[in-house]
Amino acid sequence: MESDVALLILRVWLAIVFFAHGINHGRTQQGTATWFASKGFKQAPLLARMSSLGELAVGAGLLLGLLTPFAAAGLMVIMVTAFWSVHRFSGFFVFRRPDEGYEYVVTLAVAALVLAILGPGAYSIDSSLGIADDFDGWLGAGIALAGIVLGFLQLAALWKKPANPIST
């Protein structure tokens, strides 16, 4: 019971974070596209739209506990992309400016991996459908970790490191 409540709390918090980011990217799409372009992304307007929709979809999946390891994989795609293209250049600490360090994005990715391994808990659609146990453990971890590969594929297709990534 306590672990189910803890998993619900973790899912809800991660969902709130991703809804907030998705809404922000959606309401400021031109600004998001301009920022993405400054960070070396090709197809920045498309990426701004996809980023917003992806973050909202991840948030919904986590909130509902629906296909939880796949939502965790989506989170991993976003965090790998953010880590590799922006945050790694500033070091570990989030308070480093002008771009924040990577402690935040890695923490979110680790939380998603833990959630994929443990499963969504009893208070989830996955549990109601009887599929929660089908995807937890090593399979859940593997699905979530596939998001790392997908993140790097996205980077390979859409990103080129700017000459001076910290000052752009």
Side-chain angles (χ1 to χ4, degrees), residues 2-164:
E2 293 87 6
S3 62
D4 291 319
V5 171
L7 290 167
L8 176 64
I9 292 167
L10 178 60
R11 285 191 359 252
V12 168
W13 177 247
L14 290 173
I16 289 168
V17 168
F18 275 80
F19 280 134
H21 278 270
I23 290 167
N24 187 56
H25 285 161
R27 73 176 177 79
T28 60
Q29 286 226 333
Q30 182 56 46
T32 300
T34 300
W35 186 79
F36 281 165
S38 78
K39 296 300 175 187
F41 283 97
K42 303 176 236 174
Q43 303 294 326
L46 173 64
L47 189 58
R49 284 189 295 280
M50 296 308 294
S51 172
S52 177
L53 292 173
E55 289 165 344
L56 293 171
V58 164
L62 292 171
L63 181 67
L64 298 172
L66 177 62
L67 299 174
T68 304
F70 295 97
L75 188 152
M76 294 290 236
V77 170
I78 296 163
M79 294 302 96
V80 163
T81 303
F83 169 83
W84 196 259
S85 64
V86 178
H87 299 282
R88 71 184 170 112
F89 300 111
S90 293
F92 180 78
F93 294 106
V94 74
F95 50 80
R96 168 105 192 238
R97 299 286 183 203
D99 289 323
E100 298 164 341
Y102 57 82
E103 68 179 296
Y104 172 71
V105 296
V106 172
T107 299
L108 291 176
V110 168
L113 179 58
V114 169
L115 187 57
I117 292 168
L118 295 177
Y123 308 114
S124 67
I125 290 178
D126 287 352
S127 182
S128 295
L129 294 174
I131 62 171
D133 293 338
D134 296 343
F135 292 112
D136 64 1
W138 290 114
L139 180 57
I143 293 168
L145 291 171
I148 293 173
V149 174
L150 294 173
F152 279 111
L153 288 173
Q154 176 177 267
L155 286 161
L158 297 173
W159 182 74
K160 181 181 179 203
K161 179 181 170 184
N164 187 353

